[in-house]
Amino acid sequence: MPAKKAAKKAVEKTPAKKVTAKKTTQKTAAKKATPAKKVATKKAAKKTATKATAKKAAKPAATPKLPPTHEQLQTQAYYNYLERLQAGLPGSEDDDWALALKQLSA
């Protein structure tokens, strides 16, 4: 009896392999059909890129950067002064202001 069951199982497994072979064939056929889709995708990508470029060109030029205010300069000069003292470097108040103007203008 056990030999019959083993033979029966072997026969049942064989059709399953054929089914997977059919699925593989169908997948392969589907993959072969994709180049037409890729061409359409490339056209769509070009169209999108063209639209994006047109939008970028339509944007107005960037507004010019405003000079720093007196308060901003004063605050930055103070921070420069504190850093200079902490590092023990020589300098003056004018040097701190000049450095602040350079930092905020850049």
Coordinates of all heavy atoms in Angstrom, one line a residue:
M1 N 0.8 -1.2 0.0 CA 0.0 0.0 0.0 C 0.8 1.3 0.0 O 0.5 2.2 -0.7 CB -0.9 0.0 1.2 CG -2.1 -0.8 1.1 SD -3.5 -0.2 0.3 CE -4.6 0.3 1.5
P2 N 1.9 1.3 0.8 CA 2.7 2.6 0.8 C 3.3 2.9 -0.6 O 3.5 4.0 -0.9 CB 3.7 2.3 1.8 CG 3.3 1.2 2.7 CD 2.4 0.4 1.8
A3 N 3.6 1.9 -1.4 CA 4.2 2.1 -2.7 C 3.2 2.8 -3.6 O 3.5 3.7 -4.4 CB 4.7 0.9 -3.3
K4 N 1.9 2.5 -3.5 CA 0.9 3.1 -4.3 C 0.7 4.5 -3.9 O 0.5 5.4 -4.8 CB -0.5 2.3 -4.1 CG -0.5 1.0 -4.8 CD -1.8 0.3 -4.7 CE -1.9 -1.1 -5.3 NZ -3.2 -1.7 -5.2
K5 N 0.7 4.8 -2.6 CA 0.6 6.2 -2.2 C 1.7 7.1 -2.7 O 1.5 8.2 -3.1 CB 0.5 6.3 -0.7 CG -0.8 5.8 -0.1 CD -0.9 6.0 1.4 CE -2.2 5.5 1.9 NZ -2.2 5.6 3.4
A6 N 2.9 6.5 -2.7 CA 4.1 7.3 -3.2 C 4.0 7.5 -4.7 O 4.3 8.6 -5.1 CB 5.4 6.5 -2.8
A7 N 3.5 6.5 -5.4 CA 3.4 6.7 -6.8 C 2.3 7.7 -7.2 O 2.4 8.5 -8.1 CB 3.0 5.4 -7.5
K8 N 1.2 7.7 -6.4 CA 0.1 8.6 -6.6 C 0.6 10.1 -6.3 O 0.3 11.0 -7.1 CB -1.0 8.3 -5.6 CG -2.4 8.4 -6.1 CD -3.4 8.0 -5.1 CE -4.7 7.6 -5.8 NZ -5.7 7.3 -4.8
K9 N 1.4 10.3 -5.3 CA 1.9 11.6 -5.0 C 2.9 12.1 -6.1 O 2.9 13.3 -6.4 CB 2.7 11.6 -3.6 CG 1.8 11.5 -2.4 CD 2.6 11.6 -1.2 CE 1.6 11.5 0.1 NZ 2.4 11.5 1.3
A10 N 3.6 11.2 -6.6 CA 4.6 11.6 -7.7 C 3.8 12.0 -8.9 O 4.1 13.0 -9.6 CB 5.5 10.4 -8.0
V11 N 2.7 11.3 -9.2 CA 1.8 11.7 -10.4 C 1.2 13.0 -10.1 O 1.0 13.9 -11.0 CB 0.8 10.6 -10.6 CG1 -0.2 11.0 -11.7 CG2 1.5 9.3 -11.1
E12 N 0.8 13.3 -8.9 CA 0.1 14.6 -8.6 C 1.1 15.7 -8.7 O 0.7 16.8 -9.0 CB -0.5 14.5 -7.1 CG -1.7 13.6 -7.0 CD -2.1 13.4 -5.6 OE1 -1.5 14.1 -4.7 OE2 -3.1 12.7 -5.4
K13 N 2.3 15.5 -8.4 CA 3.3 16.6 -8.4 C 3.7 17.0 -9.8 O 4.0 18.1 -10.1 CB 4.6 16.2 -7.6 CG 4.4 16.2 -6.2 CD 5.7 15.8 -5.5 CE 5.5 15.8 -4.0 NZ 6.7 15.4 -3.3
T14 N 3.6 16.1 -10.7 CA 4.0 16.3 -12.1 C 3.2 17.4 -12.8 O 3.7 18.3 -13.4 CB 4.0 15.0 -12.9 OG1 4.8 14.0 -12.3 CG2 4.5 15.3 -14.3
P15 N 1.8 17.4 -12.7 CA 1.1 18.4 -13.3 C 1.3 19.8 -12.7 O 1.3 20.8 -13.4 CB -0.4 18.0 -13.1 CG -0.3 16.6 -12.9 CD 1.0 16.3 -12.3
A16 N 1.7 19.8 -11.5 CA 2.0 21.1 -10.8 C 3.2 21.8 -11.5 O 3.2 23.0 -11.6 CB 2.2 20.9 -9.3
K17 N 4.2 21.0 -11.9 CA 5.3 21.5 -12.5 C 5.0 22.1 -13.9 O 5.5 23.1 -14.3 CB 6.4 20.4 -12.7 CG 7.1 20.0 -11.4 CD 8.1 19.0 -11.6 CE 8.7 18.5 -10.3 NZ 9.7 17.4 -10.5
K18 N 4.1 21.5 -14.6 CA 3.6 22.0 -15.9 C 2.9 23.3 -15.7 O 3.1 24.2 -16.5 CB 2.7 21.0 -16.6 CG 3.5 19.8 -17.1 CD 2.5 18.8 -17.8 CE 3.3 17.6 -18.2 NZ 2.4 16.6 -18.9
V19 N 2.1 23.5 -14.7 CA 1.4 24.7 -14.4 C 2.4 25.8 -14.2 O 2.3 26.9 -14.7 CB 0.5 24.6 -13.2 CG1 -0.1 25.9 -12.8 CG2 -0.6 23.6 -13.6
T20 N 3.5 25.6 -13.4 CA 4.4 26.6 -13.1 C 5.2 27.0 -14.4 O 5.6 28.1 -14.6 CB 5.4 26.2 -12.0 OG1 6.0 24.9 -12.3 CG2 4.7 26.1 -10.7
A21 N 5.4 26.0 -15.2 CA 6.1 26.2 -16.5 C 5.2 27.2 -17.4 O 5.7 28.1 -18.0 CB 6.4 25.0 -17.2
K22 N 3.9 27.0 -17.3 CA 3.0 27.8 -18.1 C 3.0 29.2 -17.5 O 3.1 30.2 -18.3 CB 1.6 27.3 -18.0 CG 1.3 26.1 -18.9 CD -0.1 25.6 -18.8 CE -0.3 24.4 -19.7 NZ -1.7 23.9 -19.5
K23 N 3.1 29.4 -16.2 CA 3.1 30.7 -15.6 C 4.4 31.4 -16.0 O 4.4 32.6 -16.3 CB 3.0 30.6 -14.1 CG 1.6 30.2 -13.6 CD 1.5 30.2 -12.1 CE 0.2 29.8 -11.6 NZ 0.1 29.7 -10.1
T24 N 5.5 30.7 -16.0 CA 6.8 31.3 -16.3 C 6.7 31.7 -17.8 O 7.2 32.8 -18.1 CB 7.9 30.2 -16.2 OG1 7.8 29.7 -14.8 CG2 9.2 30.8 -16.4
T25 N 6.1 30.9 -18.7 CA 6.0 31.3 -20.1 C 5.2 32.6 -20.2 O 5.5 33.5 -21.0 CB 5.4 30.2 -20.9 OG1 6.1 29.0 -20.7 CG2 5.4 30.5 -22.4
Q26 N 4.1 32.7 -19.4 CA 3.2 33.8 -19.5 C 4.0 35.1 -19.0 O 3.9 36.2 -19.5 CB 2.0 33.6 -18.7 CG 1.0 32.6 -19.3 CD -0.1 32.3 -18.3 OE1 -0.1 32.7 -17.2 NE2 -1.1 31.5 -18.9
K27 N 4.8 34.9 -17.9 CA 5.5 36.0 -17.4 C 6.6 36.5 -18.4 O 6.8 37.7 -18.6 CB 6.2 35.6 -16.1 CG 5.3 35.5 -14.9 CD 6.1 35.1 -13.7 CE 5.2 34.9 -12.5 NZ 6.0 34.5 -11.3
T28 N 7.2 35.5 -19.1 CA 8.2 35.9 -20.1 C 7.5 36.6 -21.3 O 8.1 37.6 -21.8 CB 8.9 34.6 -20.6 OG1 9.4 33.9 -19.5 CG2 10.0 35.0 -21.6
A29 N 6.4 36.2 -21.7 CA 5.6 36.9 -22.7 C 5.3 38.3 -22.3 O 5.3 39.2 -23.1 CB 4.4 36.1 -23.1
A30 N 4.9 38.4 -21.1 CA 4.5 39.8 -20.6 C 5.7 40.7 -20.6 O 5.7 41.9 -20.9 CB 3.9 39.7 -19.2
K31 N 6.9 40.1 -20.2 CA 8.1 40.9 -20.2 C 8.5 41.4 -21.6 O 9.0 42.4 -21.8 CB 9.3 40.1 -19.6 CG 9.2 40.0 -18.1 CD 10.4 39.2 -17.5 CE 10.2 39.1 -16.0 NZ 11.4 38.3 -15.4
K32 N 8.3 40.5 -22.6 CA 8.6 40.9 -23.9 C 7.7 42.0 -24.4 O 8.1 42.8 -25.3 CB 8.5 39.7 -24.8 CG 9.6 38.6 -24.6 CD 9.4 37.4 -25.5 CE 10.5 36.4 -25.3 NZ 10.3 35.2 -26.1
A33 N 6.5 42.1 -23.9 CA 5.6 43.2 -24.3 C 5.9 44.5 -23.7 O 5.4 45.5 -24.1 CB 4.2 42.8 -24.0
T34 N 6.8 44.6 -22.7 CA 7.0 45.8 -22.0 C 7.8 46.9 -22.8 O 7.7 48.1 -22.5 CB 7.8 45.6 -20.7 OG1 9.0 44.8 -20.9 CG2 6.9 44.9 -19.7
P35 N 8.6 46.6 -23.8 CA 9.3 47.7 -24.5 C 8.4 48.7 -25.1 O 8.7 49.9 -25.1 CB 10.1 47.0 -25.6 CG 10.4 45.6 -25.1 CD 9.2 45.3 -24.2
A36 N 7.2 48.3 -25.5 CA 6.2 49.3 -26.1 C 5.8 50.2 -24.9 O 5.6 51.4 -25.1 CB 5.0 48.6 -26.6
K37 N 5.6 49.7 -23.8 CA 5.3 50.5 -22.6 C 6.4 51.5 -22.3 O 6.2 52.6 -21.9 CB 5.0 49.6 -21.4 CG 3.7 48.9 -21.5 CD 3.4 48.1 -20.3 CE 2.1 47.3 -20.4 NZ 1.9 46.4 -19.2
K38 N 7.6 51.0 -22.4 CA 8.8 51.8 -22.1 C 8.9 53.0 -23.0 O 9.2 54.1 -22.6 CB 10.1 51.0 -22.1 CG 10.2 50.1 -20.9 CD 11.6 49.4 -21.0 CE 11.7 48.4 -19.8 NZ 13.0 47.7 -19.8
V39 N 8.6 52.8 -24.3 CA 8.6 53.9 -25.2 C 7.6 55.0 -24.8 O 7.8 56.2 -24.8 CB 8.3 53.4 -26.7 CG1 8.2 54.5 -27.6 CG2 9.5 52.5 -27.1
A40 N 6.4 54.5 -24.5 CA 5.3 55.4 -24.0 C 5.8 56.2 -22.8 O 5.5 57.3 -22.6 CB 4.0 54.7 -23.8
T41 N 6.4 55.5 -21.9 CA 6.9 56.1 -20.6 C 8.0 57.1 -20.9 O 8.0 58.2 -20.3 CB 7.5 55.0 -19.7 OG1 6.5 54.0 -19.6 CG2 7.8 55.6 -18.4
K42 N 8.8 56.9 -21.9 CA 9.9 57.8 -22.2 C 9.2 59.1 -22.8 O 9.7 60.2 -22.5 CB 10.8 57.3 -23.3 CG 11.8 56.3 -22.7 CD 12.8 55.7 -23.8 CE 13.7 54.7 -23.2 NZ 14.6 54.2 -24.3
K43 N 8.2 58.9 -23.6 CA 7.5 60.1 -24.2 C 6.9 60.9 -23.1 O 7.0 62.1 -23.0 CB 6.5 59.7 -25.2 CG 7.1 59.2 -26.5 CD 6.0 58.8 -27.5 CE 6.6 58.3 -28.8 NZ 5.6 57.8 -29.7
A44 N 6.3 60.2 -22.1 CA 5.6 60.9 -21.0 C 6.7 61.6 -20.1 O 6.4 62.7 -19.7 CB 4.8 59.9 -20.2
A45 N 7.8 61.0 -20.0 CA 8.9 61.6 -19.2 C 9.4 62.9 -19.8 O 9.7 63.9 -19.2 CB 10.0 60.6 -19.0
K46 N 9.5 62.8 -21.2 CA 10.0 64.0 -21.9 C 9.0 65.1 -21.8 O 9.4 66.3 -21.6 CB 10.2 63.7 -23.4 CG 11.5 63.0 -23.7 CD 11.6 62.8 -25.2 CE 12.9 62.0 -25.5 NZ 13.0 61.8 -27.0
K47 N 7.7 64.8 -21.8 CA 6.7 65.8 -21.7 C 6.7 66.5 -20.3 O 6.6 67.7 -20.2 CB 5.3 65.1 -21.9 CG 4.3 66.0 -22.6 CD 3.0 65.2 -22.8 CE 2.5 65.3 -24.2 NZ 1.2 64.7 -24.4
T48 N 6.9 65.6 -19.3 CA 6.9 66.1 -18.0 C 8.2 67.0 -17.8 O 8.1 68.1 -17.1 CB 7.0 65.0 -17.0 OG1 5.9 64.1 -17.2 CG2 6.9 65.4 -15.5
A49 N 9.3 66.6 -18.3 CA 10.5 67.4 -18.2 C 10.4 68.7 -18.9 O 10.9 69.7 -18.4 CB 11.7 66.6 -18.8
T50 N 9.7 68.7 -20.0 CA 9.5 70.0 -20.7 C 8.6 70.9 -19.9 O 8.9 72.1 -19.8 CB 8.9 69.7 -22.1 OG1 9.7 68.7 -22.8 CG2 8.8 71.0 -22.9
K51 N 7.6 70.4 -19.3 CA 6.7 71.2 -18.5 C 7.5 71.8 -17.3 O 7.3 72.9 -16.9 CB 5.5 70.4 -18.0 CG 4.5 70.1 -19.1 CD 3.3 69.3 -18.5 CE 2.3 69.0 -19.6 NZ 1.2 68.2 -19.0
A52 N 8.3 70.9 -16.7 CA 9.1 71.4 -15.5 C 10.0 72.5 -15.9 O 10.2 73.5 -15.1 CB 9.8 70.2 -14.9
T53 N 10.7 72.4 -17.0 CA 11.6 73.4 -17.5 C 10.9 74.7 -17.8 O 11.3 75.8 -17.4 CB 12.3 72.9 -18.8 OG1 12.9 71.6 -18.5 CG2 13.4 73.9 -19.2
A54 N 9.7 74.6 -18.3 CA 8.9 75.8 -18.6 C 8.5 76.5 -17.3 O 8.5 77.7 -17.2 CB 7.6 75.4 -19.4
K55 N 8.2 75.7 -16.3 CA 7.8 76.3 -15.0 C 9.0 77.0 -14.4 O 8.8 78.1 -13.8 CB 7.3 75.2 -14.0 CG 5.9 74.8 -14.4 CD 5.4 73.7 -13.3 CE 4.0 73.2 -13.7 NZ 3.5 72.2 -12.7
K56 N 10.2 76.4 -14.5 CA 11.4 77.0 -13.9 C 11.7 78.3 -14.6 O 12.1 79.3 -14.0 CB 12.6 76.1 -14.0 CG 12.5 75.0 -13.1 CD 13.8 74.1 -13.2 CE 13.7 72.9 -12.3 NZ 14.9 72.0 -12.4
A57 N 11.5 78.4 -15.9 CA 11.8 79.6 -16.7 C 10.7 80.7 -16.4 O 11.1 81.8 -16.5 CB 11.8 79.2 -18.2
A58 N 9.5 80.3 -16.0 CA 8.5 81.2 -15.8 C 8.7 81.9 -14.4 O 8.1 83.0 -14.2 CB 7.1 80.6 -15.8
K59 N 9.5 81.4 -13.5 CA 9.7 82.0 -12.2 C 10.4 83.3 -12.3 O 11.4 83.4 -13.1 CB 10.5 81.0 -11.3 CG 9.7 79.8 -10.8 CD 10.5 79.0 -9.9 CE 9.7 77.8 -9.4 NZ 10.5 77.0 -8.4
P60 N 10.1 84.3 -11.6 CA 10.8 85.5 -11.6 C 12.2 85.4 -11.0 O 12.4 84.5 -10.2 CB 9.9 86.5 -10.8 CG 9.1 85.6 -9.9 CD 8.9 84.3 -10.7
A61 N 13.0 86.3 -11.3 CA 14.4 86.3 -10.8 C 14.3 86.5 -9.3 O 13.4 87.1 -8.7 CB 15.2 87.4 -11.4
A62 N 15.3 85.9 -8.6 CA 15.4 86.0 -7.1 C 15.5 87.5 -6.7 O 16.2 88.3 -7.3 CB 16.5 85.2 -6.6
T63 N 14.8 87.8 -5.6 CA 14.9 89.2 -5.1 C 16.3 89.4 -4.6 O 16.9 88.5 -4.0 CB 13.9 89.4 -4.0 OG1 14.1 88.5 -2.9 CG2 12.5 89.3 -4.5
P64 N 16.9 90.6 -4.7 CA 18.2 90.9 -4.2 C 18.2 90.8 -2.7 O 17.3 91.2 -2.0 CB 18.5 92.3 -4.8 CG 17.2 92.9 -5.1 CD 16.3 91.8 -5.4
K65 N 19.4 90.4 -2.2 CA 19.5 90.3 -0.7 C 19.7 91.7 -0.1 O 20.5 92.5 -0.6 CB 20.8 89.4 -0.4 CG 20.9 89.1 1.0 CD 22.1 88.2 1.2 CE 22.2 87.8 2.7 NZ 23.4 87.0 3.0
L66 N 18.9 91.9 0.9 CA 19.0 93.2 1.6 C 20.2 93.3 2.5 O 20.6 92.3 3.0 CB 17.7 93.4 2.4 CG 16.4 93.5 1.7 CD1 15.2 93.5 2.6 CD2 16.3 94.6 0.7
P67 N 20.7 94.5 2.7 CA 21.9 94.6 3.6 C 21.4 94.3 5.0 O 20.3 94.6 5.4 CB 22.4 96.0 3.4 CG 21.2 96.8 2.8 CD 20.4 95.7 2.1
P68 N 22.4 93.9 5.9 CA 22.0 93.6 7.3 C 21.6 94.9 8.0 O 22.1 96.0 7.7 CB 23.2 93.0 7.9 CG 24.3 93.4 7.0 CD 23.8 93.6 5.6
T69 N 20.7 94.8 9.0 CA 20.3 95.9 9.7 C 21.3 96.2 10.8 O 22.2 95.4 11.1 CB 18.9 95.7 10.4 OG1 19.1 94.6 11.4 CG2 17.8 95.3 9.4
H70 N 21.2 97.4 11.4 CA 22.1 97.8 12.4 C 22.1 96.9 13.6 O 23.1 96.5 14.2 CB 21.8 99.3 12.9 CG 22.7 99.8 14.0 ND1 24.0 100.2 13.7 CD2 22.6 99.9 15.3 CE1 24.6 100.5 14.8 NE2 23.7 100.4 15.8
E71 N 20.9 96.4 14.0 CA 20.7 95.5 15.1 C 21.4 94.2 14.8 O 22.0 93.6 15.7 CB 19.3 95.3 15.4 CG 18.6 96.5 16.0 CD 17.1 96.3 16.1 OE1 16.5 95.4 15.6 OE2 16.5 97.2 16.8
Q72 N 21.3 93.7 13.6 CA 21.9 92.4 13.2 C 23.5 92.5 13.3 O 24.1 91.7 13.8 CB 21.5 92.0 11.8 CG 20.1 91.6 11.7 CD 19.7 91.3 10.2 OE1 20.2 92.0 9.3 NE2 18.7 90.4 10.0
L73 N 24.0 93.7 12.8 CA 25.4 93.9 12.9 C 25.9 94.0 14.3 O 26.9 93.4 14.7 CB 25.8 95.2 12.1 CG 25.8 95.2 10.6 CD1 26.0 96.5 10.0 CD2 27.0 94.3 10.2
Q74 N 25.1 94.7 15.1 CA 25.5 94.9 16.5 C 25.6 93.5 17.2 O 26.5 93.2 18.0 CB 24.5 95.8 17.2 CG 24.8 96.2 18.6 CD 23.8 97.1 19.2 OE1 22.7 97.3 18.7 NE2 24.1 97.7 20.3
T75 N 24.6 92.7 17.0 CA 24.5 91.4 17.7 C 25.7 90.5 17.2 O 26.3 89.9 18.0 CB 23.2 90.7 17.3 OG1 22.1 91.5 17.7 CG2 23.1 89.4 18.1
Q76 N 25.9 90.5 15.9 CA 27.0 89.6 15.4 C 28.4 90.2 15.8 O 29.2 89.4 16.2 CB 27.0 89.6 13.8 CG 28.0 88.7 13.2 CD 27.7 87.2 13.6 OE1 26.5 86.8 13.6 NE2 28.7 86.5 13.9
A77 N 28.5 91.5 15.9 CA 29.8 92.0 16.4 C 30.0 91.6 17.9 O 31.1 91.3 18.3 CB 29.8 93.6 16.3
Y78 N 28.9 91.6 18.6 CA 29.0 91.2 20.1 C 29.5 89.8 20.2 O 30.4 89.4 21.0 CB 27.7 91.4 20.8 CG 27.7 91.0 22.2 CD1 28.5 91.6 23.2 CD2 27.0 89.9 22.6 CE1 28.5 91.2 24.5 CE2 27.0 89.4 23.9 CZ 27.7 90.1 24.8 OH 27.8 89.7 26.2
Y79 N 28.9 88.9 19.3 CA 29.3 87.5 19.3 C 30.7 87.3 18.9 O 31.5 86.5 19.5 CB 28.4 86.6 18.4 CG 27.0 86.4 19.0 CD1 25.9 86.6 18.2 CD2 26.8 86.1 20.3 CE1 24.6 86.4 18.7 CE2 25.5 85.9 20.8 CZ 24.4 86.1 20.0 OH 23.2 85.9 20.5
N80 N 31.2 88.1 17.9 CA 32.6 88.1 17.5 C 33.5 88.5 18.7 O 34.6 87.9 18.9 CB 32.8 88.9 16.3 CG 32.1 88.4 15.0 OD1 31.8 87.2 15.0 ND2 31.9 89.2 14.1
Y81 N 33.1 89.5 19.4 CA 33.8 90.0 20.5 C 34.0 88.9 21.6 O 35.1 88.7 22.1 CB 33.1 91.2 21.1 CG 33.6 91.6 22.5 CD1 34.8 92.3 22.7 CD2 32.8 91.4 23.6 CE1 35.2 92.6 24.0 CE2 33.2 91.8 24.9 CZ 34.4 92.4 25.1 OH 34.8 92.7 26.3
L82 N 32.9 88.2 21.9 CA 32.9 87.2 22.9 C 33.8 86.0 22.5 O 34.6 85.5 23.3 CB 31.5 86.6 23.2 CG 30.6 87.5 23.9 CD1 29.2 86.9 24.0 CD2 31.1 87.9 25.3
E83 N 33.8 85.6 21.2 CA 34.6 84.6 20.7 C 36.1 85.0 20.7 O 37.0 84.2 21.1 CB 34.3 84.2 19.2 CG 33.0 83.5 19.1 CD 32.6 83.2 17.6 OE1 33.5 83.2 16.8 OE2 31.4 82.9 17.4
R84 N 36.4 86.3 20.4 CA 37.7 86.8 20.4 C 38.3 86.7 21.8 O 39.4 86.3 22.1 CB 37.8 88.2 19.8 CG 39.2 88.8 19.7 CD 39.2 90.1 19.0 NE 38.2 91.1 19.5 CZ 38.4 91.9 20.5 NH1 39.5 91.9 21.1 NH2 37.5 92.7 20.8
L85 N 37.5 87.2 22.8 CA 37.9 87.2 24.2 C 38.2 85.7 24.7 O 39.1 85.5 25.4 CB 36.9 87.8 25.1 CG 36.9 89.4 25.1 CD1 35.9 89.9 26.1 CD2 38.3 89.9 25.5
Q86 N 37.3 84.8 24.4 CA 37.4 83.4 24.8 C 38.6 82.8 24.3 O 39.3 82.0 24.9 CB 36.1 82.7 24.4 CG 36.0 81.3 25.1 CD 34.7 80.6 24.8 OE1 34.1 80.9 23.8 NE2 34.3 79.7 25.6
A87 N 39.0 83.1 23.0 CA 40.2 82.5 22.4 C 41.4 83.3 22.8 O 42.5 82.8 22.6 CB 40.0 82.6 20.9
G88 N 41.3 84.4 23.4 CA 42.4 85.2 23.9 C 43.2 85.9 22.8 O 44.4 86.1 22.8
L89 N 42.5 86.2 21.7 CA 43.1 86.8 20.5 C 43.1 88.4 20.7 O 42.1 88.9 21.2 CB 42.4 86.4 19.2 CG 42.4 85.0 18.9 CD1 41.4 84.7 17.7 CD2 43.8 84.5 18.6
P90 N 44.1 89.0 20.1 CA 44.1 90.5 20.2 C 43.1 91.1 19.1 O 42.8 90.4 18.1 CB 45.5 90.9 19.8 CG 46.0 89.8 19.0 CD 45.3 88.5 19.5
G91 N 42.6 92.2 19.3 CA 41.7 92.8 18.3 C 41.0 94.1 18.9 O 41.3 94.4 20.0
S92 N 40.1 94.6 18.1 CA 39.4 95.8 18.6 C 38.0 95.7 18.2 O 37.5 94.8 17.5 CB 40.0 97.1 17.9 OG 39.8 97.1 16.6
E93 N 37.2 96.7 18.7 CA 35.8 96.8 18.5 C 35.5 97.0 17.0 O 34.6 96.4 16.4 CB 35.2 98.0 19.2 CG 33.7 98.1 19.1 CD 33.2 99.3 19.9 OE1 33.7 99.5 21.1 OE2 32.3 100.0 19.4
D94 N 36.4 97.8 16.3 CA 36.2 98.0 14.9 C 36.4 96.7 14.1 O 35.8 96.4 13.1 CB 37.2 99.0 14.4 CG 36.9 100.4 14.9 OD1 35.7 100.7 15.2 OD2 37.9 101.2 15.1
D95 N 37.4 95.9 14.5 CA 37.6 94.6 13.9 C 36.4 93.7 14.0 O 36.0 93.0 13.1 CB 38.8 93.9 14.5 CG 40.2 94.6 14.2 OD1 40.2 95.4 13.3 OD2 41.1 94.4 15.0
D96 N 35.8 93.7 15.2 CA 34.6 92.9 15.4 C 33.4 93.3 14.5 O 32.7 92.5 13.9 CB 34.1 92.9 16.9 CG 35.2 92.4 17.8 OD1 36.0 91.5 17.4 OD2 35.2 92.8 19.0
W97 N 33.3 94.6 14.3 CA 32.2 95.2 13.5 C 32.5 94.8 12.0 O 31.6 94.5 11.2 CB 32.1 96.7 13.6 CG 31.2 97.0 14.8 CD1 31.6 97.1 16.1 CD2 29.8 97.3 14.8 NE1 30.5 97.4 16.9 CE2 29.4 97.6 16.1 CE3 28.9 97.3 13.8 CZ2 28.1 97.9 16.5 CZ3 27.6 97.7 14.2 CH2 27.2 97.9 15.5
A98 N 33.7 95.0 11.6 CA 34.1 94.7 10.2 C 33.9 93.2 9.9 O 33.3 92.8 8.8 CB 35.6 95.0 9.9
L99 N 34.2 92.3 10.8 CA 34.0 90.9 10.6 C 32.5 90.6 10.6 O 32.1 89.8 9.8 CB 34.7 90.1 11.8 CG 34.6 88.6 11.7 CD1 35.2 88.1 10.4 CD2 35.3 87.9 12.9
A100 N 31.7 91.3 11.4 CA 30.3 91.0 11.4 C 29.7 91.4 10.1 O 28.8 90.7 9.6 CB 29.6 91.8 12.6
L101 N 30.1 92.6 9.6 CA 29.6 93.0 8.3 C 29.9 92.0 7.2 O 29.1 91.7 6.3 CB 30.2 94.4 7.9 CG 29.7 95.0 6.6 CD1 28.2 95.2 6.6 CD2 30.4 96.3 6.4
K102 N 31.2 91.5 7.2 CA 31.6 90.5 6.2 C 30.8 89.2 6.3 O 30.4 88.6 5.3 CB 33.1 90.2 6.4 CG 33.7 89.3 5.4 CD 35.1 89.1 5.7 CE 35.7 88.1 4.7 NZ 37.1 87.8 5.0
Q103 N 30.5 88.8 7.6 CA 29.8 87.5 7.8 C 28.3 87.7 7.3 O 27.8 86.7 6.8 CB 29.8 87.1 9.3 CG 31.2 86.7 9.7 CD 31.3 86.5 11.2 OE1 30.5 87.1 12.0 NE2 32.2 85.6 11.7
L104 N 27.7 88.8 7.7 CA 26.3 88.9 7.3 C 26.1 89.3 5.9 O 25.0 89.1 5.3 CB 25.7 90.0 8.2 CG 25.6 89.6 9.7 CD1 25.1 90.8 10.5 CD2 24.7 88.4 9.9
S105 N 27.0 89.8 5.2 CA 26.9 90.2 3.8 C 27.1 89.0 2.9 O 26.6 89.0 1.7 CB 27.9 91.3 3.4 OG 27.6 92.5 4.2
A106 N 27.8 88.0 3.3 CA 28.1 86.9 2.5 C 27.0 86.0 2.3 O 26.0 86.0 2.8 CB 29.3 86.1 3.1

